[in-house]
Amino acid sequence: MCNLYATRKSAAEVAAYFRADLTKQFNVGEEVYPGAPGLVIVEDEGSRVVRSMTWGFPLRLSSMKPGSKPKPVNNIADLTSFMWRFIAPRPGNRCLIPVTEFAEADGPKGGKTRTWFSVTDQPIFAWAGMWKDSDEWGPVYSGLMTDANEAVSPVHDRMPVILHADEQDAWLHGSIDDVIAFQHRSFPNELIAMNRTQDPWIRRSSSAPSLL
């Protein structure tokens, strides 16, 4: 499960890399946590556009107290579940999540640190995502997950579905069979770089949103 990723590029750099239009600046942080705003690329009338949305589809459990905040569901694991089965077949609900690196918790309980993963041949890579307009938080997005490859599996058994540059259009326009195929194909081990750090896994105050 991915509960932390970073986009350490400006919105203008993201727009240029993905050949997308940037119509405004956004108040988002470099490090993105569930329930926080992040940048996404969507298609609008045939053009790619950079937008800001909340990371995580809102889920209100029956056990929650009235008035409590929904839980952000920020990873897509089972495409047949009620939250995704009607959205997954619709190309209009697909998006690209721009990422420079994603993190997993590493180490013993109570002392977990951040291990970051990046793609060696892409300064920014696209995580396959889906989005919708929600009543609770407005536009929201989540990222598709797959089984970890050999480069990531020493730390976690799941990883984001990373798209090669020439796969982005297929993700945005493809059929549900294409979506399923992306979830079940393995990303090349040799294209993943690992950076183990001593930084604590817990959220740091320095990650407050900044204007990108």
Side-chain angles (χ1 to χ4, degrees), residues 26-45:
F26 300 105
N27 194 34
V28 300
E30 285 189 349
E31 294 182 355
V32 186
Y33 297 83
L39 297 178
V40 300
I41 312 295
V42 300
E43 285 214 343
D44 185 8
E45 297 183 352

Side-chain angles (χ1 to χ4, degrees), residues 136-149:
E136 296 88 344
W137 299 331
V140 295
Y141 68 99
S142 189
L144 186 64
M145 301 296 288
T146 187
D147 292 336
N149 63 14

Side-chain angles (χ1 to χ4, degrees), residues 95-116:
C95 64
L96 307 175
I97 306 169
V99 180
T100 53
E101 52 187 345
F102 66 93
E104 294 294 353
D106 198 3
K109 184 177 180 180
K112 291 188 178 297
T113 55
R114 298 177 177 197
T115 291
W116 293 93

